[in-house]
Amino acid sequence: MASLESLTEDLLVRIYKGLASDADRKSWRLVCRDFHRIDALTRSSLRVLRVEFLRSLLANYPRLDTLDLSVCPRIDDGAVAVLLTSRGSPWAFPRAAASSLSPPGRDPLAWTRGLRKLVLSRSTGLGHHGLEQVIRACAYLESVDVSHCCGFGDREAAALSCGARLREVKMDKCLGVTDVGLAKIAVGCGRLEKVSLKWCMEIGDLGVDLLCNKCVDLKFLDLSYLKVTNDSLQSIGSLPKLEVLALVGCSLIDDTGLQFLGGGCPLLRVIDMSRCNGISSCGLVSVAKGHEGLVQLNASYSLTECSSILLRCFKDLKNLNAIKIDGARVSDSAFKALSNCTSLVEIGLGKCIGATNLGLMRLVSGCVNLRVLDLTCCHSITDAAIFAISDSCRNLTCLKLESCNMITEKSLYYLGSFCLLLEELDLTDCGGINDTGLEYLSNCLELSCLKLALCPTISDKGLGHIASKCRKICEIDLYRCNGIGDDALAALSSGCKKLRRLNLSYCSDVTDRGMEYLGQLEELWDLEMRSLFNVTGVGLMALAAGCKRLADLDMKYCENVDDSGFWALAYYARNLRQINLSHCNISNMGLCMVMSNLTRLQEAKLVHLNKVTVEGFELALRTCWVRIKKVKLLAALRFKLSSDVRETLHSRGCKIRWD
Amino acid sequence: MSSSPPPSSAAASPSCPKKMIALRSSDGETFEIEEAAALQSKTLENMIDEDCAGTPIPLPNVTGKILAKVVEFCSKHAEPGVDDESLRAWDAEFVNVEQATVFDYILAANFLEIPTLLNLTCNVVADMIRGKTPDEIRKFFNIKSIFSPEEEEEVRRENHWAFE
C-alpha cells in the first residue's frame, strides 16, 4: 500500500514546495530524518537569528542563495573570519560540532559559491576588513544590502567594490560614504543595475557622474536626500536603461535639471520627486513630455500648484497609473482634467488645498479604476464625496481620510455597501465617526489595516462589530481612543487572530484583564501601549507569556508595572527586538534581567528610569553591549557612565542618543 | 445542461472515428483511452509518437484500479468545453479519496508524467500537512522513521532559536 514514505525524493520536494508558510516548513523538518533532508536540500533563503547557529546552518543548507543577517547580533569581523575558515572551531561556536544530521565530508565553504544575495543591514559591528573578506569569498554574489550601517564609509565602499558580479547595492544611511567611495564602487562593479544611496549625504555630483559613466546598465537609482544639483541630472539623463529614479528631498534640483531628464532616460517608468522645493509644474512637464511610457509620478509636497499644461500632459501618458501631488493647490477644473486619465489606479491628494466635493465627484466619474486614494487633511470633503467615490470606484482597496472631520457614519455605510474589496482605511482624527459607522464598515470583509486614532467617539461596541466579521485584520491603531477598554480587546482576541500590529496608547481604561486577552493573539509582534496606568505586572506577564512573537514593544509611562512584569518579559519575550521602557518603574535588577536575557534586543529606549541607578545602567549595558545597536539614555547620564562602557558601545557601532 | 461550444482543437474530425489507445495494467486488465486524453501523459505521448501504440501498452507500475481512475482523469481533462469552475469542482471530488489512493495517484502521475494530475495530488498532500504539528503529521501519515532524541532536540532548538 502506498504511503508518504514510498514517494521518491523529488516527489517529496514537490510536496514540500507546496508548503508556503514558515511554520509549516518548520513542522515538516521536525517530522523525520528524510523530511529534514528534503528541507535542507530545498530551502534557499535563511534569516538567521543567532550567530551560534550560523556556521552549522551554512554547512547544512547547500542550496542557499539568500542569507539575511540583519537581525543576527554579533556579526563582526571575528564572526566572519570564523565562518570563512575551512576548519571547524568548536571553541568559538560550540554548536558547530559535527551533528549526526549533517552528512560528513561536505565542504563547509560550499555556501560561499551558492550565495547570490546577502543582507547585512544594521550589521553595525562589521568592519571593512570583514566585509571585504566575505565579498571576496562569495564570488557569485549579486546583491548586497548594507543599509543603516551608519558608520560605514569609503573603506567599506572599497570592500564592496571587490564584488565584480554585483548587480544590486543598497547603502542607505551609510553616512560616511563620499564621492571617493562611490567612485570605487562604480569602477569595481560595472554590472550594477540597482543602486540605493538614500541619506548618504556626503555624496555629490562628482560621484553620481562617475557612477552614470561607468555603470551604464543602471535600471534603478535612489539618490534621495542627497545634495546633488542639476549637474547630476545631466549625468543621469545619459543612462539608457534607467527605469526607476528617486530624488526625494533633493532641494538643490530645479526645473533646469528636469529638462536634462526630459531629454534622456528613454525607458523611465517611475519617478519620485517628492519634497523637492526647487521644482515646479514646468519642470515636470518636460519630464512628462519626454516619457510617454511613464507609469508613476510622485511630486508630493514639491508643487505649489498643478498647472493646466501639466494636467493636459497627463492625459497623453497612456500607461500612467499613479500620481501623487500632495500639498499642491488644485481646482475643480484640475480634477476634471485628471478625470481624463482613466488608467489611474492611485492618486495622492493629501493636504491639497482646494479639494472639494465637486472636484472629487468629477475626478471619480472618470477614474473608475482607482484603487488607492489619499485624501489626508482634505478638510472640506463630506459624505457626499465619499458616496461618489464608493459608487464609482468599486475596486477601491486603500482610502486615507485622516482629519476629514466632516465624514460621518454615512460614509462608512457607503463604503460598506459598495467597496467590498477595501483593505486599508485611515480614519485618524475623524471626529464624526461612531460605533454605528463601524458596524456598517464591518461589511468590508477584506479589511486588514484600520486606523482609528484620535476618535474619541468609538467604543468597545463598535470595535466588536469589526472584530466579529473582519477576520483578516492585521493592524489596528486606537491611539487615544478614550472609549476603548478591555471588552474591545476581548473581541479582538477572539475575532482577529491575524492581528500583528496594535496601538493602544493612552487607552487608559485597559486593565490587566485586557492584557490577558491580548496574550491570546499569537501573531502580535508590534504593540504600542503607552501610559496604560491600570496595567500592572500581572498584565505584562500575561502578554509576554502569550505573545511569543512580540518583537516591538512601547510601554512608555506604564508606571504601575512592577518588576514581576519585567521579569516575565525577560523570561518569555525572546523575540523582542525593540523596547521603550522610558518612565517605567523598573528596578536595577529588572533592567539587568531584561537587557541580558533578551538576546535579540537591538534597540532600547531607557530614559527617565527613576529607580535605576548609574551602577544599574552600567551593569545592564555591559550585559548587552555585544549586540545592542541603538540606545536612548538621559543626557545627565552622559558624564556619569564610565568611559569604558561608552567606548565599547561606540566601537561596536552602537548609536547612543542622549535625551 | 447547457450546450458546450464546439471543440477548438479537434483531436479528430467528426467524420473519422476517434483513435483509441489500449493500456494494460500490472495485473493484466486492459483499458482503452482516446488518443487526445492519452496525450495528457508525456510518457504515452512519446510512445504514440514512436508508433508502439499498436498492441496494448504495458504499464507495470500501475494497477488496474488506479489505471481506471487515471484514464477517467485524463479523459475528463481532454474534454472540450468544460469551464474552469466545474473542472475544479470535479478535480476536488476526484481527490476526495483515502490517503493511500492519493499516493497511488501521485506515483502513477509521476510514472506517466501527467503534470496536471501530479500538481493536483501533490497540492492535496500539502493541504493535508498544512497547520499540523510534527507529531500530528507523523500520526496522520503513519511515518515510522524518526529522529534519535538528540537529533530531535537539535532540530527543535534550531526551529525555535536559529532562523526564520
Side-chain angles (χ1 to χ4, degrees):
Chain A
M1 201 163 81
S3 72
L4 194 53
E5 284 167 305
S6 54
L7 296 183
T8 57
E9 202 165 274
D10 57 311
L11 291 173
L12 287 174
V13 169
R14 246 182 207 272
I15 296 173
Y16 171 81
K17 284 187 174 168
L19 299 172
S21 89
D22 185 52
D24 286 329
R25 289 185 172 202
K26 281 193 173 165
S27 298
W28 169 283
R29 73 192 286 271
L30 195 48
V31 170
C32 62
R33 280 208 192 110
D34 288 332
F35 281 26
H36 181 270
R37 206 181 66 251
I38 301 282
D39 173 70
L41 292 175
T42 317
R43 204 182 270 266
S44 62
S45 141
L46 271 185
R47 193 167 193 227
V48 181
L49 301 179
R50 285 179 171 76
V51 76
E52 308 87 88
F53 291 97
L54 188 51
R55 200 177 158 82
S56 62
L57 285 174
L58 290 174
N60 292 335
Y61 283 93
R63 298 265 164 83
L64 274 187
D65 60 46
T66 301
L67 183 62
D68 182 344
L69 298 174
S70 60
V71 293
C72 187
R74 285 163 48 202
I75 296 293
D76 53 21
D77 289 6
V80 168
V82 169
L83 281 181
L84 294 178
T85 52
S86 35
R87 308 176 288 110
S89 323
W91 50 270
F93 298 119
R95 244 173 236 104
S99 102
S100 51
L101 286 169
S102 51
R106 187 172 272 161
D107 174 11
L109 290 183
W111 65 273
T112 55
R113 292 186 285 278
L115 209 61
R116 298 285 176 272
K117 180 168 171 177
L118 182 59
V119 181
L120 290 167
S121 156
R122 293 189 166 85
S123 298
T124 46
L126 194 59
H128 65 98
H129 198 63
L131 187 57
E132 185 172 334
Q133 273 195 302
V134 77
I135 298 278
R136 280 191 191 281
C138 302
Y140 297 96
L141 205 58
E142 291 175 0
S143 166
V144 75
D145 179 350
V146 290
S147 51
H148 295 273
C149 292
C150 303
F152 273 24
D154 289 341
R155 283 188 303 186
E156 285 75 20
L160 284 180
S161 69
C162 300
R165 285 193 167 83
L166 280 177
R167 295 215 207 126
E168 195 175 310
V169 167
K170 257 187 102 164
M171 297 182 68
D172 300 343
K173 267 224 163 142
C174 290
L175 300 174
V177 179
T178 71
D179 289 334
V180 173
L182 184 57
K184 294 211 169 101
I185 293 179
V187 168
C189 311
R191 298 192 203 178
L192 280 177
E193 291 176 5
K194 195 164 160 173
V195 173
S196 187
L197 299 165
K198 261 207 292 239
W199 299 109
C200 297
M201 314 235 258
E202 300 291 321
I203 292 179
D205 295 333
L206 210 60
V208 174
D209 186 49
L210 198 59
L211 183 67
C212 298
N213 275 332
K214 294 282 176 188
C215 300
V216 293
D217 289 335
L218 271 178
K219 289 191 192 157
F220 177 109
L221 184 58
D222 189 341
L223 301 175
S224 298
Y225 304 102
L226 264 53
K227 300 220 177 333
V228 290
T229 72
N230 294 335
D231 290 344
S232 282
L233 282 177
Q234 190 171 19
S235 317
I236 293 172
S238 70
L239 290 170
K241 299 190 188 171
L242 196 66
E243 295 175 21
V244 177
L245 178 61
L247 293 166
V248 180
C250 293
S251 38
L252 299 178
I253 289 182
D254 62 31
D255 290 343
T256 325
L258 288 185
Q259 272 180 353
F260 288 130
L261 208 53
C265 298
L267 298 180
L268 199 63
R269 292 182 302 117
V270 173
I271 181 160
D272 186 347
M273 306 221 51
S274 47
R275 297 179 198 276
C276 293
N277 313 351
I279 65 172
S280 76
S281 295
C282 205
L284 285 176
V285 165
S286 35
V287 174
K289 281 210 170 125
H291 298 100
E292 285 179 4
L294 208 58
V295 169
Q296 285 184 36
L297 175 64
N298 188 344
S300 303
Y301 306 109
S302 299
L303 303 176
T304 42
E305 55 200 306
C306 231
S307 73
S308 45
I309 311 175
L310 180 59
L311 290 164
R312 273 204 294 275
C313 276
F314 287 154
K315 197 160 65 101
D316 296 328
L317 300 173
K318 297 293 171 213
N319 293 334
L320 194 63
N321 70 32
I323 293 186
K324 296 202 190 142
I325 47 172
D326 302 45
R329 182 188 304 277
V330 284
S331 61
D332 288 349
S333 56
F335 284 121
K336 190 148 170 281
L338 274 178
S339 69
N340 288 326
C341 308
T342 50
S343 56
L344 280 176
V345 158
E346 180 172 342
I347 301 185
L349 296 166
K351 300 196 177 149
C352 278
I353 309 160
T356 62
N357 278 350
L358 195 59
L360 281 170
M361 286 189 222
R362 283 220 174 101
L363 179 68
V364 296
S365 64
C367 299
V368 295
N369 295 316
L370 271 186
R371 288 207 287 260
V372 178
L373 184 56
D374 186 347
L375 297 170
T376 303
C377 292
C378 290
H379 301 290
S380 40
I381 66 169
T382 70
D383 295 331
I386 305 298
F387 174 73
I389 294 170
S390 330
D391 192 30
S392 297
C393 309
R394 300 293 175 110
N395 289 334
L396 204 62
T397 57
C398 171
L399 183 60
K400 297 192 181 168
L401 297 170
E402 181 178 339
S403 286
C404 295
N405 30 34
M406 293 211 266
I407 302 290
T408 72
E409 70 274 9
K410 288 209 199 88
S411 288
L412 297 184
Y413 175 74
Y414 302 138
L415 288 172
S417 309
F418 300 129
C419 296
L420 299 176
L421 298 178
L422 198 63
E423 292 171 11
E424 232 181 280
L425 182 60
D426 187 349
L427 295 168
T428 303
D429 202 17
C430 288
I433 301 297
N434 57 25
D435 287 339
T436 325
L438 290 182
E439 190 180 354
Y440 296 142
L441 185 62
S442 63
N443 283 330
C444 295
L445 302 177
E446 299 294 316
L447 210 54
S448 78
C449 172
L450 182 59
K451 297 198 177 156
L452 297 166
L454 299 164
C455 291
T457 40
I458 63 166
S459 77
D460 294 343
K461 200 157 144 274
L463 214 57
H465 290 301
I466 298 280
S468 62
K469 288 172 77 176
C470 304
R471 301 286 163 153
K472 297 192 182 181
I473 293 260
C474 295
E475 185 175 335
I476 295 198
D477 186 352
L478 298 166
Y479 177 87
R480 285 194 197 270
C481 290
N482 307 335
I484 296 294
D486 291 337
D487 291 332
L489 299 182
L492 284 177
S493 72
S494 63
C496 302
K497 291 288 183 196
K498 294 191 181 173
L499 195 61
R500 299 210 310 261
R501 285 179 112 135
L502 179 61
N503 190 334
L504 289 174
S505 295
Y506 301 96
C507 297
S508 35
D509 285 346
V510 171
T511 70
D512 288 338
R513 184 168 72 91
M515 289 288 120
E516 259 177 62
Y517 286 123
L518 281 188
Q520 291 168 24
L521 290 168
E522 291 177 359
E523 300 286 319
L524 195 64
W525 66 251
D526 183 343
L527 177 64
E528 196 180 307
M529 48 181 274
R530 291 191 178 191
S531 197
L532 297 187
F533 297 114
N534 291 318
V535 171
T536 70
V538 173
L540 188 58
M541 188 168 358
L543 178 74
C547 301
K548 299 252 165 57
R549 290 189 190 222
L550 202 60
D552 211 319
L553 179 64
D554 185 340
M555 41 184 300
K556 191 170 173 182
Y557 297 117
C558 287
E559 291 168 356
N560 283 326
V561 175
D562 61 0
D563 261 9
S564 66
F566 296 117
W567 281 73
L569 198 67
Y571 182 75
Y572 287 114
R574 296 306 182 112
N575 282 324
L576 215 54
R577 268 179 242 162
Q578 287 187 58
I579 193 164
N580 188 341
L581 292 170
S582 301
H583 291 269
C584 286
N585 280 324
I586 190 171
S587 69
N588 276 347
M589 201 42 149
L591 185 65
C592 192
M593 290 303 292
V594 165
M595 301 303 278
S596 61
N597 267 18
L598 298 180
T599 51
R600 287 181 64 188
L601 203 60
Q602 292 184 333
E603 209 175 302
K605 294 190 181 151
L606 307 169
V607 177
H608 283 297
L609 302 183
N610 297 327
K611 282 197 183 163
V612 180
T613 63
V614 175
E615 290 78 27
F617 275 111
E618 282 266 344
L619 191 57
L621 289 171
R622 268 170 210 270
T623 62
C624 66
W625 65 17
V626 283
R627 44 189 150 76
I628 199 93
K629 296 191 177 164
K630 231 162 126 178
V631 70
K632 191 170 173 193
L633 301 166
L634 201 59
L637 219 50
R638 192 173 200 157
F639 304 107
K640 295 189 192 162
L641 277 180
S642 70
S643 56
D644 206 19
V645 166
R646 285 184 16 233
E647 270 161 33
T648 314
L649 284 174
H650 184 76
S651 70
R652 306 277 326 176
C654 170
K655 217 168 101 168
I656 309 182
R657 266 174 66 198
W658 302 104
D659 192 20
Chain B
M1 192 138 125
S2 58
S3 61
S4 40
S8 46
S9 64
S13 58
S15 49
C16 307
K18 295 212 163 76
K19 183 154 181 228
M20 301 297 279
I21 312 285
L23 306 171
R24 180 177 292 131
S25 69
S26 60
D27 43 2
E29 274 184 72
T30 318
F31 297 90
E32 286 218 316
I33 182 174
E34 282 179 25
E35 185 174 345
L39 291 176
Q40 302 250 325
S41 152
K42 291 204 174 50
T43 313
L44 292 180
E45 189 185 341
N46 289 340
M47 290 188 175
I48 293 170
D49 275 346
E50 288 171 29
D51 220 19
C52 349
T55 55
I57 300 175
L59 300 173
N61 292 10
V62 193
T63 63
K65 176 171 157 242
I66 300 298
L67 188 52
K69 296 297 277 180
V70 172
V71 167
E72 196 186 318
F73 180 90
C74 292
S75 305
K76 180 74 184 181
H77 276 248
E79 241 177 59
V82 185
D83 65 289
D84 280 342
E85 247 203 76
S86 46
L87 193 60
R88 260 201 299 270
W90 190 90
D91 281 348
E93 245 330 284
F94 184 81
V95 287
N96 190 10
V97 291
E98 57 175 38
Q99 220 187 91
T101 318
V102 177
F103 293 128
D104 283 326
Y105 287 164
I106 292 182
L107 291 167
N110 190 36
F111 173 66
L112 290 169
E113 288 184 74
I114 308 172
T116 39
L117 183 56
L118 193 55
N119 285 339
L120 176 66
T121 43
C122 285
N123 278 337
V124 163
V125 180
D127 283 338
M128 288 180 194
I129 293 176
R130 208 162 285 142
K132 288 194 167 71
T133 66
D135 227 8
E136 285 166 357
I137 296 174
R138 278 182 220 130
K139 281 203 182 65
F140 190 82
F141 292 108
N142 206 10
I143 294 176
K144 296 291 183 224
S145 88
I146 49 168
F147 291 113
S148 73
E150 297 84 32
E151 287 170 345
E152 177 157 348
E153 182 49 42
E154 186 182 327
V155 178
R156 208 178 274 281
R157 211 179 320 153
E158 279 178 351
N159 272 0
H160 200 61
W161 299 115
F163 64 87
E164 40 182 49

